[in-house]
Amino acid sequence: MALSRKTKDRLIQNAFFLTALSSIVALALIMIYLFAEGLPIFKDVSVLDFLFGNLWYPTSDPPEFGIFPLIVASLSVTLVSSAIAIPLGVMTAIYLAEIASRKTRDIFKPIVELLAALPSVVIGFFGMVVVAPFLQETFDLATGLNLFNASIMLAFMSVPTICSVSEDAIYAVPRELKEASLALGATHFETITKVVLPASLSGISTAVMLGMSRAIGETMVVLMVAGGAAIIPTSIFSAVRPMPSSIAAEMAEASFRGDHYRALFAIGIVLFLFTLVFNLVASHVSEKHKQVGAATL
């Protein structure tokens, strides 16, 4: 029996709705489980001691659950990697979208996007066997597994995301804006800096926040090359232990639903809140600088 067009449209609409709803439900269930497993630790440890304590010795007697060194390590690695990745990603995007010839763009864009497909364990292995010995010998360090090594590897992972999203934002700038700028006597460089970049600021800001979110949430790379020391770093060459690596390294040895186990889930809550803040900031900046046609510049 043939279905009417209206019935088909309704079925398709319901199918898309159920798909979207399943994603929301899955996220909600993950959040509920995360908070249900992590919040009980605060019956034994105050929130302030947990967030601002300087000692992380979960297996000692009595245990110490201060994650401030882990928070500082995560933020430090994210900031240093962003300082490397943002200029590289945005400038590469500008080159591919505005300067490179079509032939050059067709060659290099797939290569940049292919970098995003590299498994994080491969990048971490490269950091261990190539970058770590180089840093150790060049700067005469006790170990090459440190904050700077982790930052370089995370920047390497973030550049494709920042570059790809930024390029799409730059490429979407209305052509009449560029033509009007050039017609008024502006150079190509002036058009890029004073017209194209302001018009694409929304997309570039989103790209930056996505890159930073990936950096702060990455697990395998920091587990392999950050050094694994739960201390507050004193330099970019200090060994550190970001939050994701602590969860990955210790979850297998934590007794089920013991204090250590719940403390690791509480770290997951903190990490979730950090990522949520990054996404909210990205959404706010994107909406604030949203470009709709040429008239809103």
Side-chain angles (χ1 to χ4, degrees):
M1 188 174 97
L3 297 175
S4 66
R5 181 174 178 178
K6 186 175 181 180
T7 302
K8 291 180 181 179
D9 289 343
R10 186 172 297 171
L11 289 174
I12 294 172
Q13 182 180 0
N14 290 336
F16 280 113
F17 172 76
L18 290 175
T19 302
L21 183 63
S22 63
S23 301
I24 296 173
V25 170
L27 178 60
L29 291 175
I30 292 172
M31 286 179 56
I32 291 171
Y33 185 77
L34 180 66
F35 280 86
E37 294 296 318
L39 290 179
I41 189 62
F42 298 118
K43 294 178 181 177
D44 302 318
V45 183
S46 70
V47 175
L48 290 179
D49 288 341
F50 183 76
L51 293 177
F52 299 106
N54 290 327
L55 299 177
W56 174 256
Y57 296 118
T59 57
S60 65
D61 189 18
E64 297 283 352
F65 295 114
I67 68 166
F68 188 66
L70 311 184
I71 295 175
V72 173
S74 292
L75 293 177
S76 300
V77 169
T78 302
L79 291 175
V80 177
S81 65
S82 298
I84 300 171
I86 293 171
L88 285 176
V90 174
M91 287 191 291
T92 302
I94 293 172
Y95 173 75
L96 292 176
E98 292 294 323
I99 300 173
S101 64
R102 185 177 183 84
K103 184 177 180 180
T104 304
R105 187 185 303 118
D106 291 341
I107 293 173
F108 283 100
K109 185 174 181 179
I111 295 175
V112 172
E113 292 179 347
L114 186 62
L115 294 176
L118 287 176
S120 57
V121 67
V122 174
I123 297 175
F125 185 71
F126 177 79
M128 288 182 65
V129 302
V130 177
V131 180
F134 173 77
L135 292 176
Q136 188 172 3
E137 294 174 8
T138 303
F139 298 100
D140 192 24
L141 303 173
T143 177
L145 302 177
N146 51 43
L147 189 156
F148 189 57
N149 190 345
S151 299
I152 294 174
M153 295 300 100
L154 290 179
F156 186 72
M157 296 181 66
S158 301
V159 164
T161 301
I162 296 174
C163 177
S164 182
V165 178
S166 296
E167 186 199 357
D168 291 339
I170 294 170
Y171 201 73
V173 173
R175 186 177 181 86
E176 59 264 29
L177 287 178
K178 306 174 192 177
E179 292 176 345
S181 175
L182 294 171
L184 290 171
T187 64
H188 191 193
F189 177 76
E190 289 173 335
T191 300
I192 291 173
T193 56
K194 296 183 179 180
V195 176
V196 175
L197 290 182
S200 58
L201 183 60
S202 173
I204 293 175
S205 301
T206 301
V208 168
M209 290 300 172
L210 288 174
M212 293 179 70
S213 295
R214 180 170 188 185
I216 198 172
E218 175 57 39
T219 302
M220 186 55 66
V221 168
V222 293
L223 178 63
M224 297 175 71
V225 303
I231 56 176
I232 297 176
T234 56
S235 74
I236 61 172
F237 297 118
S238 297
V240 294
R241 188 167 196 165
M243 290 185 285
S245 63
S246 293
I247 297 172
E250 300 176 25
M251 185 58 75
E253 65 187 38
S255 59
F256 181 66
R257 290 188 174 171
D259 288 342
H260 188 189
Y261 172 90
R262 297 199 182 280
L264 293 175
F265 269 92
I267 293 176
I269 294 174
V270 175
L271 192 59
F272 168 78
L273 294 176
F274 271 111
T275 306
L276 179 63
V277 168
F278 276 123
N279 289 334
L280 290 176
V281 171
S283 177
H284 173 73
V285 173
S286 176
E287 192 64 30
K288 182 178 179 180
H289 299 282
K290 192 172 183 179
Q291 170 73 20
V292 184
T296 58
L297 181 63

